[in-house]
Structure formats: structure tokens, C-alpha cells
Amino acid sequence: MGANLIDGKAIAATIRQEIHNEVDAMREHHGKVPGLATVLVGARKDSQTYVRMKKRACEEVGIRSFGHDLPADISQDELLEVVRDLNANPEVDGILVQLPLPDHIDDEEILGAVSLEKDVDGFHPLNIGRLSMKRRDPLFVPCTPKGCIELLDRSGVSIEGKRAVVLGRSNIVGLPVAMLLLHRNATVTICHSRTQDLPEVVRQADILIAAVGRPEMVRGDWVNPGAVVIDVGVNAVDDPGSERGYRLVGDVAFDEASEVAAAITPVPGGVGPMTIAMLLRNTLDGALRRIG
Ligand code: NDP
């Protein structure tokens, strides 16, 4: 392997320690700790796991978490009421509504009801709108895209003036990460399922962010020699030899790409740990802002 490994697990551990120290200082100076409310609707196993991980991460850094586990058949109005109560609760600095919500729920209305000041996921339409405009700072930036930029910054990768290619245009990852790169003065190309000559476009990238959800789609010969590769994808592929019967791979063929790239994130252990670290960061920032 020629590329430097961008160790998201280690970088996230450093960030969590920084947050822990700041939370301790807040408790000491203001007699307050940040609070995160998680809202989980229904019993999807993956959502339950994500929420559990987020709550545990909160505990580890001294952030209080308030769990709201709600039945899958909750009505739109009842769910709105929960969100409004949390908006009014002074102990809650951040509200995380775990997605996806059940089909009968209008998630746009629910996400739009979260107070702007507590929108730690950064999915409120106003925060996304501000992210998409020049010289308008959103109160919060979505966690996974923010984690990608943090990985670049903490690995000493300069973004300004670079050619960045983002694979994927979802509201959660592709679009916001492209906006963040643009704000940092990269020249950004966004690719999607209708992009023609995809390998050729990807080969232009000094910085490649892959967020398509297609196992190992990006081959080594798509990667520009010397590029920095951030692999957001998390895909389970069959692996009868392993205990669980599957293993996780990214959107990039790691072994091939790491022979060509200058630096690359692994999956798992790259972007994943950063997403939770950024949620903690956003919650702490929300609390700091509320203290003034
Ligand atoms: P979505 O399915 O919402 O979006 C996928 C995007 O990839 C779409 O824009 C789609 O294009 C594009 N795409 C799909 N297939 C192709 C293809 N063959 N060629 C080019 N573009 C393609 O996924 P998400 O953005 O939510 O997630 C992407 C990946 O990141 C997933 O593996 C997910 O598990 C992972 N993820 C990881 C997180 C982490 O913390 N590590 C957090 C969030 C996501 P089009 O718009 O045209 O359909």
C-alpha cells in the first residue's frame, strides 16, 4: 500500500477527547452540561443501533442524552408535539430525529419543526439553504459532510484551488459535502447515476469523495495518482468465511486505490467514527451558543 491511511477512528478519538475537556470546563464554569435528545420512531434494528451508539458516545464525553423511543404508528401531530416539547426544553441543546421515518410521516415537516438553534443534524431547510448560499453561515452543518472536511483538515490536506469530485448528490452527504468544498474554494464536480464517462471524470480529482452506496465501484485505475480519497460508503457484502457472514466495504476498491492515491480512508474506521464525533461537536456548539 503506497497511500497514507487517514485514520478516522484515531482522529475521532482525539476530537471526542477535546469535546470531553470542553464539556468539563462548561460544567465547571457554567454549572451546565450539553443535552442531546434522540427521537426514534419504530423498531428498525439499524436505527436502534445508530441511536444506541449516539447515546453511548454522548455519555462518554459527558453530554446528557434524552431518549424518546416512539411507536411506529405515532401520528404526524403527536410526533410534532414531541419535537415542539423538546424545542421548549431548556436542558436540550440538540434534537436528533433518526431517519428514515415511517412512510406515513411527512419528514420534511418534522425536520422543519426542529428549532434552528437545536438542529444538530443540520437538516433543517433553513440550515441547508444557508449552506447552499455564499456568505451565509448555517447554524449547523450535517455531520457526515462536516466529518469529511475535518478528516481533510486534520490530515493536512489543503482544499483551496483543488479539483474535487463528489460521487453522489444526496441531501445527507453528496450535496452538502460539495457545498462545503466549494466554500473552501475547491473546484467541485458532482457526479450521480446519470453522469457519463464516470471513470474519466473521477480521474480529474485531486480530492475524491465517494458517497454512492455501491460496493467497491471506484476502481484503482479511476484514481488520479496522488489523489486524496475519502470513502463515505458503507456496504455489506457476503463473506461466508467471516463470523457474521458478511463484511463491510466502501464505495472504493481499497486495495487497488491505495496503490495509487496519496492518502485514503478505510471502511470501516474512516468517515463512520467522524459522523458521531461531529454530532457531539454540534451538540456542544449548540450549548455554547445558548450560553452565549
Ligand atoms: P443515497 O442512496 O441517498 O445517494 C446515492 C447517490 O449516489 C445518488 O446521488 C445516486 O445518484 C448516486 N449513485 C448511485 N449509483 C451510482 C452509480 N452507479 N454511478 C454514479 N452515481 C451513483 O445514499 P447516501 O448519500 O445516503 O449514502 C451514500 C453511502 O454513504 C451509502 O453507502 C451510505 O451507507 C453511506 N453513508 C455513510 C455514513 C457514515 O457515517 N459513514 C453516513 C451516511 C451515509 P442519483 O442521485 O442519480 O440517484
Side-chain angles (χ1 to χ4, degrees):
M1 163 168 172
N4 288 324
L5 193 73
I6 300 179
D7 186 347
K9 214 170 152 188
I11 294 173
T14 303
I15 293 171
R16 287 207 306 271
Q17 187 56 54
E18 291 166 4
I19 292 170
H20 201 164
N21 297 345
E22 287 185 55
V23 170
D24 286 348
M26 179 182 280
R27 189 188 300 107
E28 195 177 323
H29 298 302
H30 300 280
K32 170 184 165 63
V33 295
L36 174 71
T38 57
V39 178
L40 174 66
V41 180
R44 277 179 66 122
K45 285 275 173 287
D46 55 347
S47 294
Q48 285 173 334
T49 304
Y50 292 137
V51 168
R52 199 169 46 243
M53 284 164 62
K54 289 165 185 174
K55 284 183 184 164
R56 195 183 313 137
C58 282
E59 275 167 34
E60 281 168 12
V61 298
I63 292 176
R64 280 181 74 187
S65 66
F66 306 87
H68 291 262
D69 294 355
L70 306 168
D73 61 355
I74 189 168
S75 72
Q76 181 85 8
D77 285 345
E78 286 167 329
L79 185 53
L80 276 174
E81 199 54 39
V82 172
V83 170
R84 289 190 187 118
D85 284 349
L86 293 172
N87 284 342
N89 184 339
E91 292 188 321
V92 172
D93 299 293
I95 301 171
L96 179 144
V97 180
Q98 185 64 41
L99 299 176
L101 291 167
D103 288 345
H104 69 280
I105 298 286
D106 174 357
D107 53 7
E108 198 177 343
E109 188 184 21
I110 301 297
L111 296 179
V114 173
S115 154
L116 260 190
E117 286 75 22
K118 299 188 179 186
D119 176 37
V120 285
D121 252 344
F123 293 153
H124 189 291
L126 265 179
N127 273 327
I128 290 286
R130 284 182 182 170
L131 181 66
S132 309
M133 295 169 83
K134 227 176 155 184
R135 288 190 285 278
R136 301 271 198 289
D137 283 333
L139 289 178
F140 296 101
V141 170
C143 300
T144 301
K146 184 171 171 161
C148 293
I149 302 296
E150 195 76 28
L151 281 175
L152 294 172
D153 284 343
R154 292 192 184 233
S155 305
V157 177
S158 81
I159 300 174
E160 174 145 346
K162 297 287 170 58
R163 283 166 304 181
V165 172
V166 177
L167 288 182
R169 55 176 167 180
S170 72
N171 290 334
I172 292 174
V173 190
L175 268 181
V177 84
M179 291 304 158
L180 290 172
L181 289 162
L182 195 59
H183 290 316
R184 296 287 296 273
N185 297 319
T187 302
V188 183
T189 303
I190 305 175
C191 302
H192 45 77
S193 63
R194 316 290 164 83
T195 299
Q196 292 183 359
D197 301 327
L198 190 60
E200 200 44 54
V201 180
V202 171
R203 265 180 221 118
Q204 307 293 315
D206 302 313
I207 296 171
L208 173 64
I209 313 267
V212 283
R214 300 271 180 262
E216 300 181 322
M217 185 182 87
V218 177
R219 309 312 306 187
D221 65 358
W222 296 24
V223 176
N224 179 12
V228 176
V229 178
I230 304 289
D231 190 353
V232 184
V234 181
N235 310 289
V237 294
D238 290 342
D239 184 1
S242 78
E243 204 175 290
R244 293 181 298 187
Y246 69 92
R247 67 194 160 87
L248 297 180
V249 299
D251 290 341
V252 179
F254 180 86
D255 289 344
E256 293 177 16
S258 57
E259 293 300 328
V260 192
I264 187 167
T265 57
V267 176
V271 175
M274 293 298 289
T275 297
I276 293 189
M278 293 301 105
L279 174 68
L280 303 175
R281 180 74 252 173
N282 278 352
T283 305
L284 173 59
D285 287 348
L288 287 168
R289 207 163 19 229
R290 283 155 58 75
I291 288 172

